[in-house]
Amino acid sequence: MSLDAVKTAFDTNEVNLVEIAAPFEKWQDFPVSRISHHGSVCCEVAREWLSAMDFSNLNGGSVMTGPRWIRQYYNWGPTRWQIHWCEAIKQNALDCGAQASLANEVFTVRGVESYPVQLVQQYSKEATQHWSQKWDGVETSTHWINEDLIYHEGCAVVMRDENEIKIWDASAGWWINPRQFGGYGGLRALRLFSGQHDAREFV
Amino acid sequence: MKIYISGLYSGTNPQPGVGIARSLRLAYPDALLVGVEYSNRCSGIHWQDFDEIWLQRPWDELNLDAHAREIGRVLDAGAFYISAIDLEIMWLASVFPEGHPNLLTPPVEGLYQVSKPAIPAHEKLPVKIPPFVTTEISDWDLHAFCRKHDWKVWLKGPYYDAARTRNWTEFENMRNAFSSAWSTEKLFLQTHVTGYEESISFSAYKGELLHAVSMRKRDLTEMNKTWAGDVSVVPTEFYEPLCEVVKDLNWTGGAELEMVRDPDGQLWMIECNPRYPAWIHGATIAGHNMSAILVERASDVPAQKSPAVTDEFTRVVLEIPVHPEMPLPPLPEPFAGVVGHSLKHPSGLLGFANRLHGMNLNGQNGNGNGNGNGYGKLNGKELTIVPSSFMDDISDFDFEQIQTPSFLYLEKTASEHFNRAAKIAGNLSTEDVAVINAYSMKTNPDARLVQQAYEAGFLAEAISPLEVSKALEVGFKPEQIILNGPGKWWHKEHLPNEPIHAVFADSIADLQRVVAALESGELKAKIAGMRLRMPNIPSRFGIPIDTPELFGELIEAIKTLPRESGFGIHFHMASSSVGVGQWWHLFESMLKWCSSIEALAGRPIEILDIGGGWFPDDWHEGADEQFKKAVQSVGEYLPNVKQIISEPGKALAQPSMALAMRILEIQDFPNATDVVVDGSIAELPMYFFYPHRILHQNGETGSWKSLGRGKAYFLGRLCMEHDVVASHVELPETAKPGDLLVFCDAGAYDRSMSYVFGRG
Ligand SMILES: [Zn+2]
């Protein structure tokens, strides 16, 4: 998979401000979330529904529009992994990994180049404590929380002129501001997946 | 150094005067800053950075000549004047046609070049202007503009004011409100651009661009005004052409280019304001003290540098002391029994705008700004074009013999439309796919129209067994009949014993009923299917698919349809209300859903029944190509489709009938004329949904005249407050009681939904 253009632009424009090694330490080997397929019609119905629904929600607008309808449709909350397509789309709430997977799928169906990204975001101890309590269930994990840092997922979307990528934060329903690093809600590190085993960290 | 700064209004839609003062205070701690205001209700007069306040009477009370002389004296004495009020800037440009070295506002020609909506100066910049149209064109063309742009349009006033108008009624109401507020018919409609708002503000002196800064809105007020933003430098690809534009316009002063960036990154320019934006102190916080740069250049007095604190700013609400010499004015008394205080713009800007109209300063005449990249023809007041076939048909009637109000069947028009539809369908048919028309009986069940449809080779679409029976009476065979809608079992004794062409279920429950009826022989149909309710568009009809559960249920239900019947899908959406672009998107969306359904249910889709609810003009103008592409898309998404049924609906019926009525009484008022007519909204229930073209017959000469906009209200005969059949219509001077009026375009739902009222 050729991501040279993406890397170049990202290296020069933005990533030089991102600290990498320390923030990702806890999640060094954390895989990016992937929704599984039963290999049968149940999961096909789910995927067809998702893509047809996305097209309807485009409302004639540009395919580069972030699919905010997904976040409007699903609350943000714990997801029990491993999850299949037919299960995922029937949830009331999905975590950031699942929402990012759905967004990544619809961007790809639209013909827009999109790749999963792992992010580390900074919040406060107060914020992460609340999340810890919410996620500390029998079948969900709080591994994504590390003091005031959290592991997060999104989509790296290649813009039309291919010299730029934007990061879609699917569970927030917005594009991550490339000019902001650190601070409450700010980005601390980013890892982009251009293929199954091809994770790259940008420094 | 003494600097006058006007425009101190500081509500949630503020003027920039206070921000300019704060920024200049940082740059020139010892300067004497004089705030200029035209109302003591503007809270900015109490701001601490002003050393003095020059409080004037509101614009509608002000002696403009005396005020101009005073400003001239102030400038001659060496003070600078920065205006932050658009209308004041226009007026100053006329007062000082040659400019003044200390007047830091742009010249007249520059103002012409940035006047909206065309903003001629945009041409050198990497921006586009959203399509717009002046409201001086006919209502018929305005309605077409709105349909074309899916009703995502804004009605805008000549200087300020914008309102989203989502349908014809809202448009009419807002047009009347704006026209009377601004005393002008020169408003415009502009399409909405979806995206993020950003601005560029610049400072210039005598055509030299001094500095520019870019701001993205990061939080908005209820009126979409800036509440927070981030500031950055202007990229070279914008800065360089901006230098040229500033030079061309010989600009002096501040400015703000208001833009929207769409999801593809394209910038659309909405406005170019001839002054600094209200967020200008946000730029200063980020290290770009725009007004200081301007004053420094004009005065040669070095400004103290303002270092960047951060590149993001936000606002808070502050309580500040009121200046004891300018105590708060009392609140006006609420009108008796009325909710809330009615506060007009405190400084009388509306009144000032009306005075400026008289001076014709806003450049809306003669600079190509009238209709720019818009749509439709700039008609004279009287001209709304009526097709010649209407006049042909109308001239055939002997009105002496007609009791008004009366519907007129325009036979030649009807025949022309039905035959054209038949021809289009024939041309669109290919070896693989037959395209055939269907006439929806409910649009207008008049036997003459049903007969036309029959003769033109249409199928008949019925929503009840009674409509089926009407179609059979006219001559349709059962195999030419399509049954759909939620009422198909009401009076089911009228259903024929022979197989009908197709039946479409309106819900899962209805589908189960259809399956049972097909299996028991209660109903026979060659094709069975269902109507889809598309997500994202409100509708009560069809089977919803907007949750995975509902979609799954639909797939399972399709599997229960008898294998002996073919399978089809029915899709109806009124393009006249959702808009033409939106309709075509829905159409493609429907094809996508169908393609998924076909694959998942394992049933090939053989028939597509597509209804448009087309406005007649949209179905004619340039539609052939679009239809051809549509048939191609059907083939690509759904290769098993053998027949496409097109239901043009009101495109055929609407022009085929008109309503004749007579004037009963005319009552003149100073600003309006009430015309009582013997027609009513009982015959024209669709009056509020789209414009009807109106003809008046001169009682003496017999000649017909198409009516434009004017000050007459046509009031129906019913004793009901809302029985107004037309408003803001021109009434010819010759008009008198007994004269005939013909309301065209009344053949669709006006006719079929008309009711009996007030006939004893
Ligand atoms: Zn499955």
Side-chain angles (χ1 to χ4, degrees):
Chain A
M1 205 151 287
S2 161
L3 273 179
D4 292 346
V6 177
K7 285 177 205 154
T8 314
F10 214 69
D11 280 338
T12 51
N13 288 346
E14 287 130 12
V15 180
N16 50 354
L17 288 169
V18 179
E19 312 164 31
I20 178 76
F24 256 121
E25 202 178 1
K26 181 174 178 188
W27 304 292
Q28 201 53 48
D29 301 315
F30 212 50
V32 71
S33 306
R34 286 185 198 280
I35 300 176
S36 312
H37 197 296
H38 279 121
S40 59
V41 72
C42 53
C43 285
E44 250 345 88
V45 170
R47 283 165 60 115
E48 288 290 328
W49 177 82
L50 182 72
S51 63
M53 198 57 186
D54 179 60
F55 192 80
S56 286
N57 277 284
L58 262 184
N59 240 334
S62 164
V63 293
M64 302 312 292
T65 309
R68 190 175 157 196
W69 73 269
I70 294 176
R71 178 59 182 85
Q72 197 182 28
Y73 194 91
Y74 298 103
N75 291 322
W76 177 65
T79 294
R80 290 182 215 164
W81 293 89
Q82 172 197 25
I83 196 164
H84 295 84
W85 282 100
C86 60
E87 297 151 356
I89 62 156
K90 289 182 183 167
Q91 302 298 311
N92 285 324
L94 292 172
D95 68 14
C96 68
Q99 300 219 18
S101 296
L102 298 189
N104 198 53
E105 168 79 6
V106 306
F107 274 123
T108 307
V109 170
R110 290 179 193 180
V112 175
E113 228 179 312
S114 168
Y115 304 96
V117 279
Q118 294 181 322
L119 312 164
V120 176
Q121 279 183 321
Q122 182 181 334
Y123 278 93
S124 63
K125 291 239 167 77
E126 287 77 15
T128 54
Q129 263 167 21
H130 281 274
W131 288 328
S132 293
Q133 282 156 18
K134 186 168 176 180
W135 254 259
D136 199 12
V138 182
E139 291 172 81
T140 55
S141 150
T142 56
H143 186 64
W144 60 284
I145 297 166
N146 185 19
E147 302 207 332
D148 64 343
L149 296 182
I150 61 158
Y151 169 88
H152 189 46
E153 288 188 26
C155 307
V157 180
V158 182
M159 293 289 100
R160 282 214 167 123
D161 63 5
E162 294 193 347
N163 284 320
E164 192 192 346
I165 60 168
K166 294 211 294 187
I167 308 293
W168 174 248
D169 186 336
S171 51
W174 60 51
W175 298 97
I176 285 180
N177 185 358
R179 296 184 200 162
Q180 261 168 349
F181 295 96
Y184 188 89
L187 186 64
R188 289 289 301 277
L190 173 155
R191 202 150 57 164
L192 188 149
F193 288 75
S194 56
Q196 283 286 64
H197 307 288
D198 184 19
R200 272 197 75 89
E201 295 173 357
F202 293 99
V203 181
Chain B
M1 184 160 49
K2 195 170 185 179
I3 307 166
Y4 286 73
I5 303 160
S6 70
L8 311 186
Y9 183 76
S10 293
T12 49
N13 182 11
Q15 291 174 330
V18 169
I20 295 171
R22 295 176 71 195
S23 297
L24 287 179
R25 178 58 73 218
L26 286 179
Y28 297 102
D30 301 325
L32 191 74
L33 300 183
V34 184
V36 183
E37 234 326 311
Y38 299 84
S39 164
N40 58 342
R41 205 176 279 287
C42 287
S43 54
I45 60 174
H46 307 290
W47 183 249
Q48 62 197 24
D49 287 316
F50 290 113
D51 299 296
E52 288 172 19
I53 293 295
W54 200 27
L55 189 58
Q56 304 293 331
R57 291 306 300 157
W59 288 102
D60 39 6
E61 290 177 29
L62 204 61
N63 181 325
L64 287 179
D65 292 335
H67 188 43
R69 279 194 300 274
E70 268 314 306
I71 292 176
R73 263 198 284 274
V74 158
L75 293 170
D76 290 343
F80 293 99
Y81 197 102
I82 300 177
S83 172
I85 307 170
D86 297 23
L87 295 178
E88 186 188 53
I89 289 166
M90 288 165 55
W91 171 70
L92 287 170
S94 73
V95 172
F96 300 94
E98 306 304 321
H100 189 292
N102 292 352
L103 177 64
L104 304 181
T105 57
V108 173
E109 184 49 30
L111 292 174
Y112 283 167
Q113 294 299 315
V114 299
S115 61
K116 61 182 184 181
I119 317 178
H122 86 275
E123 278 165 22
K124 286 186 176 169
L125 299 172
V127 298
K128 289 184 182 171
I129 302 284
F132 64 88
V133 72
T134 165
T135 56
E136 292 172 285
I137 63 170
S138 72
D139 283 5
W140 193 255
D141 285 337
L142 288 171
H143 194 264
F145 179 84
C146 295
R147 293 194 310 273
K148 183 177 174 188
H149 297 289
D150 301 335
W151 289 97
K152 291 169 190 162
V153 295
W154 292 85
L155 179 67
K156 298 186 180 179
Y159 311 105
Y160 309 104
D161 267 350
R164 169 87 198 278
T165 58
R166 285 164 296 189
N167 53 52
W168 188 245
T169 310
E170 281 186 7
F171 168 74
E172 287 249 72
N173 291 342
M174 291 319 298
R175 173 167 66 180
N176 294 336
F178 284 9
S179 292
S180 81
W182 296 101
S183 315
T184 177
E185 290 283 319
K186 284 182 191 172
L187 311 171
F188 62 96
L189 268 172
Q190 191 160 36
T191 60
H192 176 77
V193 179
T194 301
Y196 291 95
E197 290 182 51
E198 57 184 72
S199 287
I200 286 178
S201 176
F202 65 80
S203 293
Y205 189 70
K206 296 183 175 168
E208 180 196 348
L209 181 60
L210 305 173
H211 192 54
V213 69
S214 174
M215 189 281 296
R216 301 186 304 179
K217 291 189 187 179
R218 296 289 301 278
D219 237 323
L220 308 168
T221 67
E222 290 81 353
M223 291 173 73
N224 278 344
K225 304 293 172 186
T226 305
W227 191 257
D230 61 29
V231 176
S232 58
V233 293
V234 176
T236 319
E237 60 268 26
F238 204 109
Y239 194 87
E240 282 175 357
L242 185 61
C243 278
E244 265 189 70
V245 171
V246 166
K247 194 170 166 217
D248 293 349
L249 304 185
N250 192 27
W251 200 268
T252 288
E256 182 192 21
L257 313 176
E258 287 189 64
M259 298 171 288
V260 175
R261 188 181 292 276
D262 73 18
D264 294 308
Q266 174 67 50
L267 281 174
W268 297 82
M269 192 181 283
I270 310 299
E271 279 190 36
C272 175
N273 301 314
R275 51 159 172 80
Y276 289 118
W279 51 265
I280 197 64
H281 192 65
T284 303
I285 290 170
H288 307 267
N289 194 334
M290 304 300 291
S291 42
I293 290 169
L294 174 64
V295 171
E296 186 174 42
R297 177 70 180 77
S299 67
D300 283 331
V301 178
Q304 290 197 12
K305 296 290 161 243
S306 329
V309 179
T310 161
D311 57 5
E312 297 185 333
F313 67 86
T314 188
R315 288 180 172 163
V316 295
V317 176
L318 289 177
E319 283 75 28
I320 59 168
V322 164
H323 203 290
E325 280 166 26
M326 292 177 289
L328 299 173
L331 265 180
E333 175 86 337
F335 290 107
V338 167
V339 179
H341 294 271
S342 165
L343 289 176
K344 283 191 177 172
H345 206 289
S347 63
L349 273 178
L350 283 175
F352 186 41
N354 297 342
R355 289 172 76 172
L356 286 179
H357 282 323
M359 297 153 75
N360 195 23
L361 293 174
N362 62 338
Q364 288 215 348
N365 287 327
N367 66 348
N369 219 354
N371 216 21
N373 60 359
Y375 181 99
K377 301 150 281 284
L378 261 174
N379 291 333
K381 201 170 145 221
E382 33 237 82
L383 254 196
T384 302
I385 291 128
V386 175
S388 59
S389 78
F390 284 20
M391 299 312 301
D392 253 15
D393 276 312
I394 288 167
S395 63
D396 287 348
F397 288 96
D398 177 4
F399 287 100
E400 296 291 310
Q401 304 301 317
I402 291 176
Q403 285 253 343
T404 53
S406 171
F407 278 99
L408 312 173
Y409 174 54
L410 310 183
E411 191 176 353
K412 294 184 191 115
T413 304
S415 152
E416 191 184 291
H417 279 80
F418 279 89
N419 289 331
R420 181 168 179 278
K423 206 167 128 199
I424 292 176
N427 290 343
L428 290 172
S429 296
T430 65
E431 268 181 29
D432 304 319
V433 184
V435 179
I436 188 165
N437 289 296
Y439 182 69
S440 172
M441 307 273 296
K442 68 174 188 290
T443 317
N444 186 341
D446 188 290
R448 291 167 294 186
L449 285 167
V450 181
Q451 184 74 32
Q452 282 279 3
Y454 175 67
E455 283 167 14
F458 282 43
L459 303 174
E461 250 184 74
I463 54 164
S464 72
L466 291 169
E467 281 193 355
V468 171
S469 138
K470 173 92 175 252
L472 293 172
E473 275 167 36
V474 170
F476 283 97
K477 297 185 186 61
E479 71 210 42
Q480 290 175 299
I481 287 173
I482 299 158
L483 183 59
N484 61 51
K488 57 175 74 70
W489 308 110
W490 177 57
H491 284 292
K492 64 186 164 96
E493 66 276 12
H494 291 278
L495 290 173
N497 293 321
E498 300 81 5
I500 61 170
H501 184 60
V503 58
F504 294 105
D506 204 55
S507 63
I508 295 284
D510 189 26
L511 185 80
Q512 287 160 354
R513 179 84 168 80
V514 166
V515 169
L518 289 171
E519 280 168 355
S520 70
E522 185 184 18
L523 177 73
K524 300 183 190 76
K526 287 198 291 183
I527 300 288
M530 71 280 303
R531 175 170 177 171
L532 292 184
R533 185 190 299 181
M534 301 303 288
N536 223 16
I537 294 283
S539 169
R540 58 163 281 206
F541 297 110
I543 298 178
I545 43 183
D546 55 358
T547 72
E549 289 83 0
L550 289 167
F551 184 59
E553 268 175 47
L554 171 69
I555 302 293
E556 289 312 307
I558 291 168
K559 293 177 183 167
T560 67
L561 281 169
R563 288 272 160 186
E564 306 81 71
S565 309
F567 176 46
I569 296 279
H570 179 98
F571 160 76
H572 270 220
M573 188 47 68
S575 89
S576 54
S577 55
V578 299
V580 177
Q582 175 94 324
W583 192 92
W584 284 107
H585 178 258
L586 281 171
F587 174 75
E588 199 185 341
S589 183
M590 182 272 302
L591 292 180
K592 264 190 146 64
W593 282 102
C594 285
S595 153
S596 298
I597 288 169
E598 184 173 76
L600 296 169
R603 287 290 301 259
I605 296 173
E606 293 170 43
I607 283 194
L608 270 187
D609 182 332
I610 299 154
W614 294 102
F615 205 82
D617 292 15
D618 300 336
W619 203 72
H620 289 264
E621 277 171 23
D624 293 24
E625 267 314 297
Q626 192 118 41
F627 289 151
K628 208 177 279 177
K629 267 191 247 157
V631 173
Q632 266 171 16
S633 309
V634 171
E636 284 156 21
Y637 281 100
L638 303 169
N640 298 304
V641 166
K642 295 188 185 69
Q643 187 183 52
I644 299 172
I645 300 166
S646 158
E647 197 274 285
K650 59 184 166 215
L652 308 181
Q654 184 177 304
S656 298
M657 281 196 181
L659 180 72
M661 60 182 79
R662 286 187 190 277
I663 296 176
L664 297 176
E665 185 186 295
I666 298 173
Q667 170 71 58
D668 274 315
F669 293 102
N671 289 313
T673 305
D674 280 359
V675 181
V676 181
V677 295
D678 63 8
S680 73
I681 53 156
E683 291 86 38
L684 286 170
M686 302 302 286
Y687 173 71
F688 296 102
F689 296 93
Y690 64 88
H692 292 62
R693 292 171 289 197
I694 307 170
L695 299 165
H696 168 260
Q697 188 180 37
N698 184 311
E700 273 158 31
T701 65
S703 66
W704 291 95
K705 184 176 189 300
S706 173
L707 303 185
R709 265 174 71 70
K711 53 176 196 152
Y713 292 81
F714 291 176
L715 311 176
R717 66 171 190 280
L718 309 182
C719 271
M720 287 167 75
E721 284 294 353
H722 66 283
D723 185 18
V724 179
V725 293
S727 45
H728 300 281
V729 182
E730 173 203 15
L731 184 73
E733 295 218 335
T734 60
K736 49 182 188 304
D739 282 1
L740 259 176
L741 294 167
V742 172
F743 280 64
C744 303
D745 315 296
Y749 294 99
D750 274 322
R751 177 69 191 93
S752 57
M753 288 164 47
S754 61
Y755 49 95
V756 180
F757 191 100
R759 283 175 184 272

